[in-house]
Amino acid sequence: MSETDLPEPTTWLRLCIYTLVIGIATGLVAAGLALTMHGVEWLVYGQHEGDVAVVTDGTTGMQRFVGITLAGLVAGPAWAALRRLATPIESVEAGMNGHVMPVWATTANVLLQMATVAAGASMGRENAPREAGAMMASQLSAKLGLDPLTRRILVAAAAGAGLGAIYHIPLAGAIFSLEILLGSLSITAVMVVLACSAVATVTSGIVVGNSPLYNPIGLSEGWGNLGAALLLGVLCGAAGYAFRYASSRASEKAPTGWHGAWAIPLAFAAVGVASLWLPEILGNGRIAASMVLLDRPLLGFAVVLLVAKTIAVLITFRSGAVGGVLTPGFALGALSGFIVGCLVQPFMPAIPLSDYALLGAASFLSASMAAPFFALIVTVEFTGQSSDAYLALFLASATASLTVAVIRSGLNLPRKQFMPWNRRPARASTAASGLHAS
């Protein structure tokens, strides 16, 4: 099958069937993972995100501390045992390149991720359905003996579909597959990726719903936003690149053997202690981002939350826990943008602080994920933006990407750097051992 041309009719029909099957399967798994998350949240907090906007509302400090600490005590030994005793887990990229992702080890890893995030771990939950979808596509491709190009496209499509399905952001999921995983466009890839993400998102909608992750809050109109986009693109872009480097280093240095059995509980307990006074630190970042998008906290509180949330994310990855960085990055970007807005609003009073938060989130994600188009689309779908917001968000994302290029050039750094989700795991007995997000 050519990468640039449509396949033959019979091949095309088979590819449509494969795409439909994988899309439905990924959507069902995403729905199941969402129910798993709701169940764990109910056990820890007595309520879940399906019922309340902020799952920590009404909880006590001790309830939050005990919940995340117990999650660490269970997950630490479980992840350590998985690394030492189970079949080595292959990353999504390895699956795209022909490695068969194991069923039981990947499933255990996926469930641990969802359970710990639901209990309050400072990681994104999108990595779990992404791995699950890629694993199913990898297994199907191996059993059917598909050619390398078809396998590569299907695994990437399933991974993006998992991301889209868990947050109901189908276009962002497709863009993730094309911009970050495949890194190139072809007619076949675009059609498969879009269809797979759409099918998975519709299927998971029975549980996930179809509302934006954050309460819709529109970016205000006006030329002033373009100036703010340029400013935040530089500042939050630089911050996003620093976070990208720091999170990468934290994951690289994470324990790969039995040390994780105590490192993960210790990190989770530390976050639990902070949550006694700062419940917004818990979870994937949704609570923290909502604070600045809707509640307009004081500048000092936003600074404390930004510092605390950054530390929480980094020590969580440094401990050896596995998860995503999408929603934590969005939250850190929103906090950074809000803080910049508080400082410059006296000179630009016409721009609401929520605009600074939205533009900061897009800029931060553009740099931290090295994907400006993905950052634009995910911000739009997360917050229910209209087309009026596209220009300012695009300018912020593009400026952040340019800022990263300037920094990289000035520091003479390589174009591609390790990201927490693309390190290929192996057994602890090897030099490159570890279990990290794909």
mmCIF file of all heavy atoms in Angstrom, residues 2-50:
data_model
loop_
_atom_site.group_PDB
_atom_site.id
_atom_site.type_symbol
_atom_site.label_atom_id
_atom_site.label_comp_id
_atom_site.label_asym_id
_atom_site.label_seq_id
_atom_site.Cartn_x
_atom_site.Cartn_y
_atom_site.Cartn_z
ATOM 1 N N SER A 2 0.633 2.109 -0.900
ATOM 2 C CA SER A 2 1.406 3.352 -0.982
ATOM 3 C C SER A 2 1.016 4.287 0.139
ATOM 4 O O SER A 2 -0.138 4.349 0.557
ATOM 5 C CB SER A 2 1.160 4.039 -2.330
ATOM 6 O OG SER A 2 1.707 5.335 -2.318
ATOM 7 N N GLU A 3 1.988 5.041 0.598
ATOM 8 C CA GLU A 3 1.717 5.976 1.689
ATOM 9 C C GLU A 3 0.992 7.213 1.199
ATOM 10 O O GLU A 3 0.387 7.926 1.970
ATOM 11 C CB GLU A 3 3.037 6.369 2.369
ATOM 12 C CG GLU A 3 2.835 7.146 3.648
ATOM 13 C CD GLU A 3 4.121 7.363 4.398
ATOM 14 O OE1 GLU A 3 5.177 6.938 3.902
ATOM 15 O OE2 GLU A 3 4.064 7.969 5.471
ATOM 16 N N THR A 4 1.019 7.479 -0.075
ATOM 17 C CA THR A 4 0.417 8.710 -0.592
ATOM 18 C C THR A 4 -0.833 8.455 -1.379
ATOM 19 O O THR A 4 -1.629 9.368 -1.591
ATOM 20 C CB THR A 4 1.432 9.455 -1.479
ATOM 21 O OG1 THR A 4 1.860 8.585 -2.525
ATOM 22 C CG2 THR A 4 2.621 9.900 -0.654
ATOM 23 N N ASP A 5 -1.063 7.214 -1.866
ATOM 24 C CA ASP A 5 -2.223 6.909 -2.695
ATOM 25 C C ASP A 5 -3.221 6.067 -1.936
ATOM 26 O O ASP A 5 -2.882 5.365 -0.984
ATOM 27 C CB ASP A 5 -1.786 6.160 -3.959
ATOM 28 C CG ASP A 5 -0.807 6.973 -4.790
ATOM 29 O OD1 ASP A 5 -0.927 8.206 -4.801
ATOM 30 O OD2 ASP A 5 0.084 6.351 -5.381
ATOM 31 N N LEU A 6 -4.481 6.101 -2.376
ATOM 32 C CA LEU A 6 -5.495 5.238 -1.815
ATOM 33 C C LEU A 6 -5.214 3.796 -2.203
ATOM 34 O O LEU A 6 -4.758 3.522 -3.308
ATOM 35 C CB LEU A 6 -6.878 5.656 -2.310
ATOM 36 C CG LEU A 6 -7.448 6.944 -1.723
ATOM 37 C CD1 LEU A 6 -8.724 7.316 -2.455
ATOM 38 C CD2 LEU A 6 -7.715 6.817 -0.245
ATOM 39 N N PRO A 7 -5.507 2.829 -1.317
ATOM 40 C CA PRO A 7 -5.272 1.422 -1.658
ATOM 41 C C PRO A 7 -6.292 0.920 -2.662
ATOM 42 O O PRO A 7 -7.263 1.594 -2.993
ATOM 43 C CB PRO A 7 -5.435 0.725 -0.307
ATOM 44 C CG PRO A 7 -6.304 1.630 0.488
ATOM 45 C CD PRO A 7 -5.961 3.019 0.056
ATOM 46 N N GLU A 8 -6.082 -0.303 -3.129
ATOM 47 C CA GLU A 8 -7.030 -0.936 -4.036
ATOM 48 C C GLU A 8 -8.379 -1.124 -3.341
ATOM 49 O O GLU A 8 -8.441 -1.188 -2.101
ATOM 50 C CB GLU A 8 -6.482 -2.288 -4.478
ATOM 51 C CG GLU A 8 -5.213 -2.197 -5.308
ATOM 52 C CD GLU A 8 -5.430 -1.469 -6.624
ATOM 53 O OE1 GLU A 8 -6.536 -1.620 -7.205
ATOM 54 O OE2 GLU A 8 -4.518 -0.749 -7.058
ATOM 55 N N PRO A 9 -9.489 -1.216 -4.111
ATOM 56 C CA PRO A 9 -10.816 -1.296 -3.496
ATOM 57 C C PRO A 9 -10.958 -2.389 -2.444
ATOM 58 O O PRO A 9 -11.515 -2.158 -1.371
ATOM 59 C CB PRO A 9 -11.726 -1.553 -4.707
ATOM 60 C CG PRO A 9 -11.009 -0.899 -5.847
ATOM 61 C CD PRO A 9 -9.555 -1.101 -5.586
ATOM 62 N N THR A 10 -10.466 -3.611 -2.743
ATOM 63 C CA THR A 10 -10.605 -4.691 -1.761
ATOM 64 C C THR A 10 -9.776 -4.406 -0.505
ATOM 65 O O THR A 10 -10.216 -4.655 0.622
ATOM 66 C CB THR A 10 -10.159 -6.026 -2.371
ATOM 67 O OG1 THR A 10 -8.832 -5.887 -2.918
ATOM 68 C CG2 THR A 10 -11.114 -6.442 -3.489
ATOM 69 N N THR A 11 -8.571 -3.884 -0.716
ATOM 70 C CA THR A 11 -7.722 -3.517 0.422
ATOM 71 C C THR A 11 -8.354 -2.388 1.214
ATOM 72 O O THR A 11 -8.318 -2.374 2.445
ATOM 73 C CB THR A 11 -6.324 -3.105 -0.063
ATOM 74 O OG1 THR A 11 -5.765 -4.151 -0.851
ATOM 75 C CG2 THR A 11 -5.409 -2.800 1.111
ATOM 76 N N TRP A 12 -8.937 -1.459 0.488
ATOM 77 C CA TRP A 12 -9.594 -0.317 1.146
ATOM 78 C C TRP A 12 -10.776 -0.781 1.989
ATOM 79 O O TRP A 12 -10.985 -0.308 3.105
ATOM 80 C CB TRP A 12 -10.040 0.683 0.089
ATOM 81 C CG TRP A 12 -10.825 1.840 0.622
ATOM 82 C CD1 TRP A 12 -12.113 2.161 0.358
ATOM 83 C CD2 TRP A 12 -10.350 2.840 1.524
ATOM 84 N NE1 TRP A 12 -12.476 3.285 1.039
ATOM 85 C CE2 TRP A 12 -11.405 3.728 1.758
ATOM 86 C CE3 TRP A 12 -9.119 3.059 2.158
ATOM 87 C CZ2 TRP A 12 -11.286 4.823 2.599
ATOM 88 C CZ3 TRP A 12 -8.999 4.148 3.002
ATOM 89 C CH2 TRP A 12 -10.078 5.015 3.208
ATOM 90 N N LEU A 13 -11.547 -1.749 1.492
ATOM 91 C CA LEU A 13 -12.686 -2.265 2.246
ATOM 92 C C LEU A 13 -12.210 -2.939 3.527
ATOM 93 O O LEU A 13 -12.793 -2.734 4.601
ATOM 94 C CB LEU A 13 -13.468 -3.254 1.382
ATOM 95 C CG LEU A 13 -14.676 -3.927 2.055
ATOM 96 C CD1 LEU A 13 -15.689 -2.879 2.505
ATOM 97 C CD2 LEU A 13 -15.318 -4.929 1.108
ATOM 98 N N ARG A 14 -11.149 -3.739 3.422
ATOM 99 C CA ARG A 14 -10.613 -4.385 4.625
ATOM 100 C C ARG A 14 -10.117 -3.340 5.626
ATOM 101 O O ARG A 14 -10.334 -3.480 6.833
ATOM 102 C CB ARG A 14 -9.477 -5.345 4.251
ATOM 103 C CG ARG A 14 -9.939 -6.602 3.526
ATOM 104 C CD ARG A 14 -8.849 -7.671 3.561
ATOM 105 N NE ARG A 14 -7.642 -7.208 2.885
ATOM 106 C CZ ARG A 14 -7.382 -7.390 1.602
ATOM 107 N NH1 ARG A 14 -8.276 -8.012 0.831
ATOM 108 N NH2 ARG A 14 -6.256 -6.963 1.068
ATOM 109 N N LEU A 15 -9.465 -2.320 5.111
ATOM 110 C CA LEU A 15 -8.951 -1.274 5.998
ATOM 111 C C LEU A 15 -10.097 -0.552 6.707
ATOM 112 O O LEU A 15 -9.988 -0.207 7.890
ATOM 113 C CB LEU A 15 -8.106 -0.279 5.191
ATOM 114 C CG LEU A 15 -7.363 0.797 5.979
ATOM 115 C CD1 LEU A 15 -6.430 0.163 7.014
ATOM 116 C CD2 LEU A 15 -6.561 1.695 5.034
ATOM 117 N N CYS A 16 -11.198 -0.332 6.010
ATOM 118 C CA CYS A 16 -12.373 0.289 6.636
ATOM 119 C C CYS A 16 -12.906 -0.586 7.768
ATOM 120 O O CYS A 16 -13.278 -0.079 8.841
ATOM 121 C CB CYS A 16 -13.469 0.519 5.592
ATOM 122 S SG CYS A 16 -13.140 1.857 4.431
ATOM 123 N N ILE A 17 -12.933 -1.887 7.527
ATOM 124 C CA ILE A 17 -13.421 -2.810 8.561
ATOM 125 C C ILE A 17 -12.488 -2.802 9.767
ATOM 126 O O ILE A 17 -12.941 -2.735 10.921
ATOM 127 C CB ILE A 17 -13.557 -4.231 7.982
ATOM 128 C CG1 ILE A 17 -14.646 -4.247 6.902
ATOM 129 C CG2 ILE A 17 -13.880 -5.233 9.092
ATOM 130 C CD1 ILE A 17 -14.741 -5.564 6.146
ATOM 131 N N TYR A 18 -11.185 -2.848 9.504
ATOM 132 C CA TYR A 18 -10.214 -2.803 10.614
ATOM 133 C C TYR A 18 -10.387 -1.513 11.424
ATOM 134 O O TYR A 18 -10.365 -1.532 12.660
ATOM 135 C CB TYR A 18 -8.784 -2.861 10.085
ATOM 136 C CG TYR A 18 -8.444 -4.075 9.258
ATOM 137 C CD1 TYR A 18 -7.439 -4.026 8.289
ATOM 138 C CD2 TYR A 18 -9.126 -5.280 9.429
ATOM 139 C CE1 TYR A 18 -7.116 -5.135 7.525
ATOM 140 C CE2 TYR A 18 -8.805 -6.392 8.650
ATOM 141 C CZ TYR A 18 -7.810 -6.311 7.701
ATOM 142 O OH TYR A 18 -7.498 -7.413 6.936
ATOM 143 N N THR A 19 -10.552 -0.398 10.723
ATOM 144 C CA THR A 19 -10.692 0.896 11.393
ATOM 145 C C THR A 19 -11.949 0.920 12.258
ATOM 146 O O THR A 19 -11.923 1.398 13.403
ATOM 147 C CB THR A 19 -10.757 2.024 10.354
ATOM 148 O OG1 THR A 19 -9.567 1.996 9.557
ATOM 149 C CG2 THR A 19 -10.883 3.377 11.034
ATOM 150 N N LEU A 20 -13.048 0.400 11.731
ATOM 151 C CA LEU A 20 -14.303 0.372 12.486
ATOM 152 C C LEU A 20 -14.176 -0.501 13.726
ATOM 153 O O LEU A 20 -14.588 -0.104 14.830
ATOM 154 C CB LEU A 20 -15.432 -0.141 11.594
ATOM 155 C CG LEU A 20 -16.825 -0.242 12.232
ATOM 156 C CD1 LEU A 20 -17.312 1.141 12.639
ATOM 157 C CD2 LEU A 20 -17.803 -0.912 11.282
ATOM 158 N N VAL A 21 -13.593 -1.673 13.572
ATOM 159 C CA VAL A 21 -13.443 -2.590 14.700
ATOM 160 C C VAL A 21 -12.560 -1.978 15.785
ATOM 161 O O VAL A 21 -12.904 -1.991 16.979
ATOM 162 C CB VAL A 21 -12.855 -3.935 14.220
ATOM 163 C CG1 VAL A 21 -12.449 -4.809 15.408
ATOM 164 C CG2 VAL A 21 -13.869 -4.662 13.350
ATOM 165 N N ILE A 22 -11.431 -1.419 15.369
ATOM 166 C CA ILE A 22 -10.506 -0.833 16.343
ATOM 167 C C ILE A 22 -11.124 0.398 16.995
ATOM 168 O O ILE A 22 -10.971 0.627 18.205
ATOM 169 C CB ILE A 22 -9.166 -0.487 15.663
ATOM 170 C CG1 ILE A 22 -8.429 -1.779 15.294
ATOM 171 C CG2 ILE A 22 -8.296 0.368 16.577
ATOM 172 C CD1 ILE A 22 -7.202 -1.558 14.446
ATOM 173 N N GLY A 23 -11.839 1.200 16.237
ATOM 174 C CA GLY A 23 -12.487 2.381 16.801
ATOM 175 C C GLY A 23 -13.519 2.017 17.851
ATOM 176 O O GLY A 23 -13.564 2.621 18.940
ATOM 177 N N ILE A 24 -14.364 1.028 17.546
ATOM 178 C CA ILE A 24 -15.381 0.600 18.512
ATOM 179 C C ILE A 24 -14.725 -0.001 19.755
ATOM 180 O O ILE A 24 -15.102 0.315 20.898
ATOM 181 C CB ILE A 24 -16.339 -0.416 17.866
ATOM 182 C CG1 ILE A 24 -17.190 0.264 16.776
ATOM 183 C CG2 ILE A 24 -17.245 -1.048 18.917
ATOM 184 C CD1 ILE A 24 -18.064 -0.683 15.993
ATOM 185 N N ALA A 25 -13.726 -0.862 19.543
ATOM 186 C CA ALA A 25 -13.044 -1.498 20.675
ATOM 187 C C ALA A 25 -12.369 -0.456 21.566
ATOM 188 O O ALA A 25 -12.466 -0.519 22.804
ATOM 189 C CB ALA A 25 -12.014 -2.503 20.166
ATOM 190 N N THR A 26 -11.702 0.517 20.951
ATOM 191 C CA THR A 26 -11.032 1.570 21.729
ATOM 192 C C THR A 26 -12.048 2.399 22.489
ATOM 193 O O THR A 26 -11.835 2.761 23.659
ATOM 194 C CB THR A 26 -10.190 2.463 20.804
ATOM 195 O OG1 THR A 26 -9.218 1.659 20.126
ATOM 196 C CG2 THR A 26 -9.484 3.551 21.594
ATOM 197 N N GLY A 27 -13.172 2.721 21.860
ATOM 198 C CA GLY A 27 -14.210 3.482 22.540
ATOM 199 C C GLY A 27 -14.798 2.733 23.717
ATOM 200 O O GLY A 27 -15.041 3.318 24.789
ATOM 201 N N LEU A 28 -15.027 1.430 23.549
ATOM 202 C CA LEU A 28 -15.563 0.633 24.652
ATOM 203 C C LEU A 28 -14.574 0.545 25.811
ATOM 204 O O LEU A 28 -14.958 0.629 26.987
ATOM 205 C CB LEU A 28 -15.914 -0.771 24.149
ATOM 206 C CG LEU A 28 -17.129 -0.865 23.213
ATOM 207 C CD1 LEU A 28 -17.272 -2.292 22.676
ATOM 208 C CD2 LEU A 28 -18.398 -0.429 23.925
ATOM 209 N N VAL A 29 -13.294 0.379 25.478
ATOM 210 C CA VAL A 29 -12.276 0.334 26.533
ATOM 211 C C VAL A 29 -12.191 1.681 27.254
ATOM 212 O O VAL A 29 -12.081 1.730 28.487
ATOM 213 C CB VAL A 29 -10.907 -0.051 25.939
ATOM 214 C CG1 VAL A 29 -9.794 0.191 26.957
ATOM 215 C CG2 VAL A 29 -10.901 -1.514 25.519
ATOM 216 N N ALA A 30 -12.245 2.785 26.500
ATOM 217 C CA ALA A 30 -12.223 4.111 27.121
ATOM 218 C C ALA A 30 -13.417 4.296 28.048
ATOM 219 O O ALA A 30 -13.287 4.862 29.146
ATOM 220 C CB ALA A 30 -12.210 5.196 26.049
ATOM 221 N N ALA A 31 -14.591 3.814 27.622
ATOM 222 C CA ALA A 31 -15.777 3.896 28.474
ATOM 223 C C ALA A 31 -15.587 3.069 29.746
ATOM 224 O O ALA A 31 -15.931 3.504 30.858
ATOM 225 C CB ALA A 31 -17.005 3.416 27.707
ATOM 226 N N GLY A 32 -15.015 1.879 29.595
ATOM 227 C CA GLY A 32 -14.745 1.042 30.759
ATOM 228 C C GLY A 32 -13.746 1.680 31.711
ATOM 229 O O GLY A 32 -13.902 1.608 32.938
ATOM 230 N N LEU A 33 -12.727 2.315 31.158
ATOM 231 C CA LEU A 33 -11.740 2.995 31.996
ATOM 232 C C LEU A 33 -12.351 4.193 32.711
ATOM 233 O O LEU A 33 -12.003 4.490 33.866
ATOM 234 C CB LEU A 33 -10.551 3.433 31.147
ATOM 235 C CG LEU A 33 -9.656 2.300 30.610
ATOM 236 C CD1 LEU A 33 -8.584 2.849 29.683
ATOM 237 C CD2 LEU A 33 -9.015 1.533 31.762
ATOM 238 N N ALA A 34 -13.269 4.893 32.043
ATOM 239 C CA ALA A 34 -13.956 6.007 32.696
ATOM 240 C C ALA A 34 -14.796 5.515 33.868
ATOM 241 O O ALA A 34 -14.837 6.144 34.940
ATOM 242 C CB ALA A 34 -14.837 6.740 31.683
ATOM 243 N N LEU A 35 -15.459 4.370 33.693
ATOM 244 C CA LEU A 35 -16.232 3.791 34.793
ATOM 245 C C LEU A 35 -15.311 3.350 35.928
ATOM 246 O O LEU A 35 -15.650 3.502 37.115
ATOM 247 C CB LEU A 35 -17.042 2.599 34.286
ATOM 248 C CG LEU A 35 -18.226 2.926 33.361
ATOM 249 C CD1 LEU A 35 -18.865 1.642 32.844
ATOM 250 C CD2 LEU A 35 -19.262 3.782 34.085
ATOM 251 N N THR A 36 -14.154 2.810 35.580
ATOM 252 C CA THR A 36 -13.167 2.439 36.598
ATOM 253 C C THR A 36 -12.739 3.659 37.400
ATOM 254 O O THR A 36 -12.653 3.622 38.633
ATOM 255 C CB THR A 36 -11.934 1.796 35.942
ATOM 256 O OG1 THR A 36 -12.334 0.630 35.226
ATOM 257 C CG2 THR A 36 -10.886 1.429 36.981
ATOM 258 N N MET A 37 -12.463 4.746 36.690
ATOM 259 C CA MET A 37 -12.077 5.992 37.350
ATOM 260 C C MET A 37 -13.181 6.481 38.280
ATOM 261 O O MET A 37 -12.922 6.885 39.424
ATOM 262 C CB MET A 37 -11.763 7.052 36.301
ATOM 263 C CG MET A 37 -11.314 8.383 36.864
ATOM 264 S SD MET A 37 -11.148 9.642 35.576
ATOM 265 C CE MET A 37 -12.884 9.924 35.186
ATOM 266 N N HIS A 38 -14.424 6.444 37.808
ATOM 267 C CA HIS A 38 -15.541 6.875 38.649
ATOM 268 C C HIS A 38 -15.651 6.018 39.903
ATOM 269 O O HIS A 38 -15.918 6.522 41.006
ATOM 270 C CB HIS A 38 -16.848 6.799 37.858
ATOM 271 C CG HIS A 38 -16.953 7.818 36.772
ATOM 272 N ND1 HIS A 38 -17.942 7.793 35.811
ATOM 273 C CD2 HIS A 38 -16.196 8.909 36.497
ATOM 274 C CE1 HIS A 38 -17.786 8.810 34.987
ATOM 275 N NE2 HIS A 38 -16.724 9.495 35.376
ATOM 276 N N GLY A 39 -15.426 4.710 39.748
ATOM 277 C CA GLY A 39 -15.507 3.823 40.900
ATOM 278 C C GLY A 39 -14.450 4.120 41.946
ATOM 279 O O GLY A 39 -14.742 4.167 43.153
ATOM 280 N N VAL A 40 -13.219 4.339 41.497
ATOM 281 C CA VAL A 40 -12.144 4.657 42.439
ATOM 282 C C VAL A 40 -12.393 6.014 43.093
ATOM 283 O O VAL A 40 -12.180 6.182 44.300
ATOM 284 C CB VAL A 40 -10.776 4.632 41.724
ATOM 285 C CG1 VAL A 40 -9.668 5.106 42.665
ATOM 286 C CG2 VAL A 40 -10.469 3.235 41.203
ATOM 287 N N GLU A 41 -12.837 6.990 42.319
ATOM 288 C CA GLU A 41 -13.144 8.302 42.898
ATOM 289 C C GLU A 41 -14.236 8.185 43.956
ATOM 290 O O GLU A 41 -14.166 8.853 44.997
ATOM 291 C CB GLU A 41 -13.582 9.266 41.793
ATOM 292 C CG GLU A 41 -12.449 9.743 40.905
ATOM 293 C CD GLU A 41 -12.924 10.617 39.760
ATOM 294 O OE1 GLU A 41 -14.120 10.541 39.397
ATOM 295 O OE2 GLU A 41 -12.097 11.383 39.221
ATOM 296 N N TRP A 42 -15.233 7.362 43.708
ATOM 297 C CA TRP A 42 -16.307 7.202 44.691
ATOM 298 C C TRP A 42 -15.763 6.569 45.974
ATOM 299 O O TRP A 42 -16.141 6.968 47.085
ATOM 300 C CB TRP A 42 -17.425 6.338 44.099
ATOM 301 C CG TRP A 42 -18.602 6.228 45.008
ATOM 302 C CD1 TRP A 42 -19.647 7.100 45.155
ATOM 303 C CD2 TRP A 42 -18.848 5.152 45.936
ATOM 304 N NE1 TRP A 42 -20.527 6.647 46.103
ATOM 305 C CE2 TRP A 42 -20.069 5.449 46.600
ATOM 306 C CE3 TRP A 42 -18.171 3.971 46.254
ATOM 307 C CZ2 TRP A 42 -20.613 4.610 47.569
ATOM 308 C CZ3 TRP A 42 -18.711 3.143 47.225
ATOM 309 C CH2 TRP A 42 -19.912 3.456 47.868
ATOM 310 N N LEU A 43 -14.858 5.598 45.829
ATOM 311 C CA LEU A 43 -14.271 4.980 47.008
ATOM 312 C C LEU A 43 -13.449 5.974 47.824
ATOM 313 O O LEU A 43 -13.464 5.950 49.058
ATOM 314 C CB LEU A 43 -13.391 3.794 46.600
ATOM 315 C CG LEU A 43 -14.102 2.533 46.109
ATOM 316 C CD1 LEU A 43 -13.096 1.523 45.601
ATOM 317 C CD2 LEU A 43 -14.951 1.923 47.220
ATOM 318 N N VAL A 44 -12.716 6.854 47.135
ATOM 319 C CA VAL A 44 -11.811 7.788 47.812
ATOM 320 C C VAL A 44 -12.549 9.018 48.316
ATOM 321 O O VAL A 44 -12.365 9.456 49.459
ATOM 322 C CB VAL A 44 -10.674 8.209 46.865
ATOM 323 C CG1 VAL A 44 -9.806 9.294 47.510
ATOM 324 C CG2 VAL A 44 -9.811 7.007 46.495
ATOM 325 N N TYR A 45 -13.402 9.598 47.451
ATOM 326 C CA TYR A 45 -14.013 10.883 47.778
ATOM 327 C C TYR A 45 -15.507 10.811 48.089
ATOM 328 O O TYR A 45 -16.100 11.804 48.496
ATOM 329 C CB TYR A 45 -13.831 11.861 46.608
ATOM 330 C CG TYR A 45 -12.392 12.041 46.195
ATOM 331 C CD1 TYR A 45 -11.929 11.539 44.971
ATOM 332 C CD2 TYR A 45 -11.483 12.697 47.020
ATOM 333 C CE1 TYR A 45 -10.609 11.705 44.587
ATOM 334 C CE2 TYR A 45 -10.159 12.862 46.653
ATOM 335 C CZ TYR A 45 -9.737 12.356 45.428
ATOM 336 O OH TYR A 45 -8.430 12.516 45.048
ATOM 337 N N GLY A 46 -16.130 9.650 47.854
ATOM 338 C CA GLY A 46 -17.560 9.543 48.069
ATOM 339 C C GLY A 46 -18.382 10.164 46.957
ATOM 340 O O GLY A 46 -19.603 10.317 47.080
ATOM 341 N N GLN A 47 -17.758 10.522 45.858
ATOM 342 C CA GLN A 47 -18.406 11.118 44.689
ATOM 343 C C GLN A 47 -17.452 11.003 43.513
ATOM 344 O O GLN A 47 -16.277 10.691 43.691
ATOM 345 C CB GLN A 47 -18.750 12.584 44.947
ATOM 346 C CG GLN A 47 -17.554 13.427 45.359
ATOM 347 C CD GLN A 47 -17.935 14.757 45.980
ATOM 348 O OE1 GLN A 47 -19.086 15.005 46.290
ATOM 349 N NE2 GLN A 47 -16.957 15.628 46.177
ATOM 350 N N HIS A 48 -17.943 11.246 42.297
ATOM 351 C CA HIS A 48 -17.056 11.151 41.144
ATOM 352 C C HIS A 48 -17.360 12.243 40.130
ATOM 353 O O HIS A 48 -18.376 12.954 40.240
ATOM 354 C CB HIS A 48 -17.140 9.764 40.489
ATOM 355 C CG HIS A 48 -18.505 9.403 39.972
ATOM 356 N ND1 HIS A 48 -19.019 9.915 38.798
ATOM 357 C CD2 HIS A 48 -19.457 8.571 40.455
ATOM 358 C CE1 HIS A 48 -20.218 9.414 38.576
ATOM 359 N NE2 HIS A 48 -20.509 8.597 39.573
ATOM 360 N N GLU A 49 -16.469 12.394 39.147
ATOM 361 C CA GLU A 49 -16.566 13.488 38.184
ATOM 362 C C GLU A 49 -17.829 13.435 37.347
ATOM 363 O O GLU A 49 -18.221 14.447 36.756
ATOM 364 C CB GLU A 49 -15.335 13.493 37.264
ATOM 365 C CG GLU A 49 -14.083 14.015 37.917
ATOM 366 C CD GLU A 49 -12.947 14.196 36.915
ATOM 367 O OE1 GLU A 49 -13.181 13.978 35.713
ATOM 368 O OE2 GLU A 49 -11.837 14.540 37.340
ATOM 369 N N GLY A 50 -18.469 12.279 37.264
ATOM 370 C CA GLY A 50 -19.709 12.198 36.533
ATOM 371 C C GLY A 50 -20.851 12.908 37.234
ATOM 372 O O GLY A 50 -21.868 13.246 36.616
#
